[in-house]
């Protein structure tokens, strides 16, 4: 009678052991290829070479691109209709949102092509002060024809027992035994009743961070809906977004969550927002599309995601109470929510047919703060995710290791070349980085059918100068918890992420100075150095020409956008 559970447990143990061996093998091969530096092809005097490690990375990019392409074809060929029978709790998390973005978000929610009687809309505002009330008033205005219910909660789910509960403690004597009776927050019951009975509800609650806001919506909904959709207050949804997400979850009961294609709303605002828009497209339509082929998308993004509610409710408390090194986690909410679903053995999917637009930081410092926060959650969740590799396809194990160790290998390579390499070594690695970027950008142009993706090759500059050092700052400050990105109505006041950038620049400039001094001591009249000089001259010209040409094209493209935007304005006199 107990043979089946025993065999299942035994199979899980064997799979875990096999996955661990596979992970060690992948890590071992990568470390060996990097440390050994085995060369597959090299030119005379070793000026140009192609190693085994470079071959591994090239194969990884090609394999990832291939499976992403196959998954896109699957998405296009999917013809399953939506049943329009599932009830959905549509949750919006709001915090000091720009009124223009919030209005666009609410307008897009109203325009969703999903039966209103099956869609329950809940917006929870992180903050209940007068400065936050404009968001509630906007919600009331936008849904005036839906009989909206707005409620100000003086606390939240986790602040009542730490405060007024002590003052409201009563004592009752039963047979000489004193019993402490702790009263519940009466507003909590009202919030839950409103959310479970009304179609459009807006709740203002005591500040507690984004995870607290999401928890309120999830907890109050309980088991009253089939699916829960998440959305941020700066997100503009495509009218068919919810329908397309539903189609995916309905197609297979083993699909626990699905995310959609997140694009940038303010793409034209600055160079940073433009580069972010290209990076978003690559992240979703190549990286997550490939992960979706193997049913293991690593993160269902907050702007557009749909979860099976019965599964989500099972790990809701564990998700909220997540701790790392003894500190309660308040960021990385979406990635941990996805990881919890993966830990249950359910598949996570991505569909490019569900689309939305979201705001991204346009200023460098705010963007850097955002990336630092995301990196913190990435490395923390990497450790948690590793415990469940055995429950999913080996691709999840392989990709996690490759993406996890890649920044450290890049850092070691750059530092080594700047301090112990030659000038040509430095130029060669920079050329290789841009060449790989151009190849990936070219493939993205073909897949997307838009030449603008060629600018994606410029992202390597941001990665090498800013994101790479920021990753180490994120690791060192992983236990510092906050929303990370300030509300859009406030100026960024956190300049700490600039410290690692300054240290990184000093380290590289010091190495460059040392290399130049060392090179000046050598005899440049030897045949090897004469040939290296020619490579240096032509390589420098090619590298400079690439950047000048790409920046010129960007300038032309940006000016064209500005002229288009200018034609839209009319002046009435």
């Amino acid at each position: 009678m107990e043979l089946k559970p025993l065999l299942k447990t035994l199979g899980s143990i064997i799979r875990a052991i096999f996955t661990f061996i596979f992970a060690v093998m992948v890590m071992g091969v990568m470390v060996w290829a990097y440390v050994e530096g085995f060369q597959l092809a090299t030119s005379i005097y070793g000026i140009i070479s192609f190693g085994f490690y470079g071959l591994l990375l090239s194969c990884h990019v090609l394999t990832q691109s291939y499976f992403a392409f196959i998954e896109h074809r699957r998405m296009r060929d999917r013809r399953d209709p939506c049943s329009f029978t599932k009830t959905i709790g549509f949750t919006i998390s709001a915090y000091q949102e720009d009124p223009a973005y919030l209005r666009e978000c609410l307008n897009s929610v109203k325009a969703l092509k999903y039966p209103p009687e099956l869609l329950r809309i809940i917006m929870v505002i992180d903050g209940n002060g007068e400065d936050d009330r404009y968001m509630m008033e906007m919600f009331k205005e936008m849904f005036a024809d839906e009989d909206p219910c707005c409620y100000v909660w003086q606390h939240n789910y986790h602040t009542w027992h730490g405060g007024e509960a002590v003052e409201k403690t009563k004592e009752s004597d039963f047979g000489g035994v004193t019993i402490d009776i702790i009263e519940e927050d009466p507003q909590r019951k009202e919030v839950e009743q409103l959310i479970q009975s009304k179609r459009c509800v807006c709740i203002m609650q005591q500040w507690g961070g984004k995870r607290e806001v999401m928890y309120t919506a999830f907890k109050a909904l309980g088991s009253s809906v089939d699916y829960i959709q998440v959305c941020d207050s700066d997100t503009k949804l495509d009218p068919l977004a919810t329908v397309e997400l539903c189609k995916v979850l309905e197609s297979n009961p083993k699909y626990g969550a699905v995310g959609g294609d997140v694009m940038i709303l303010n793409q034209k605002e600055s160079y940073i927002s433009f580069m972010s828009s290209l990076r978003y497209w690559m992240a979703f339509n190549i990286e997550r599309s490939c992960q979706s082929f193997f049913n293991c998308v690593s993160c269902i993004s907050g702007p557009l995601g749909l979860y099976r509610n019965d599964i989500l409710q099972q790990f809701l408390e564990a998700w909220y109470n997540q701790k790392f090194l003894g500190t309660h986690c308040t960021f990385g909410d979406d990635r941990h929510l996805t990881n919890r679903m993966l830990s249950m053995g359910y598949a996570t999917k991505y569909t490019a047919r569900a689309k939305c637009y979201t705001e991204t930081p346009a200023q460098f410092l705010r963007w850097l703060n955002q990336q630092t926060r995301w990196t913190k959650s990435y490395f923390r969740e990497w450790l948690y995710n590793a415990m469940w590799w055995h429950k999913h396809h080996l691709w999840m194990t392989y990709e996690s290791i490759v993406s996890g160790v890649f920044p450290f290998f890049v850092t070691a390579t750059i530092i080594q070349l700047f301090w112990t390499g030659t000038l040509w070594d430095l130029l060669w690695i920079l050329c290789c980085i841009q060449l790989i970027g151009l190849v990936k950008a070219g493939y993205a142009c073909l897949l997307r059918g838009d030449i603008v993706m060629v600018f994606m090759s410029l992202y390597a500059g941001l990665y090498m100068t800013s994101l790479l050092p920021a990753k180490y700052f994120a690791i060192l400050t992983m236990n510092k918890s906050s929303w990370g990105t300030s509300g859009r109505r406030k100026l960024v006041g956190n300049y700490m992420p600039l410290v690692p950038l300054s240290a990184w620049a000093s380290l590289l400039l010091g190495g460059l100075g040392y290399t130049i001094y060392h090179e000046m001591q050598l005899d440049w009249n030897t045949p090897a150095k004469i040939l290296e000089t020619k490579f240096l001259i032509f390589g420098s010209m090619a590298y400079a020409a690439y950047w000048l040409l790409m920046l010129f094209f960007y300038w032309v493209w940006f000016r064209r956008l500005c002229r288009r935007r200018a034609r839209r304005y009319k002046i009435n006199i």
Side-chain angles (χ1 to χ4, degrees), residues 84 88-92 104-122 143 146 199 229-231 235-246 303-304 306 354-356:
F84 294 111
I88 298 176
F90 191 100
T91 66
I92 307 171
E104 284 198 76
C105 172
L106 298 179
N107 266 324
S108 69
V109 173
K110 286 193 69 175
L112 287 173
K113 304 297 183 182
Y114 200 81
E117 64 274 13
L118 299 176
L119 192 65
R120 195 172 296 163
I121 302 167
I122 304 101
F143 292 98
E146 299 280 353
R199 180 175 180 264
Q229 183 170 343
V230 293
C231 176
T235 301
K236 181 180 179 181
L237 297 152
D238 179 82
L240 292 174
T242 300
V243 173
E244 293 297 338
L245 293 177
C246 271
L304 184 58
L306 190 69
K355 300 179 182 296
C356 76

Side-chain angles (χ1 to χ4, degrees), residues 359-361 363-370 485-486 488 492:
E359 187 265 358
T360 193
Q363 296 78 33
F364 176 77
L365 186 58
R366 189 162 170 263
W367 170 80
L368 191 62
N369 277 303
Q370 178 202 63
T485 306
S486 64
R488 271 160 278 278
V492 177

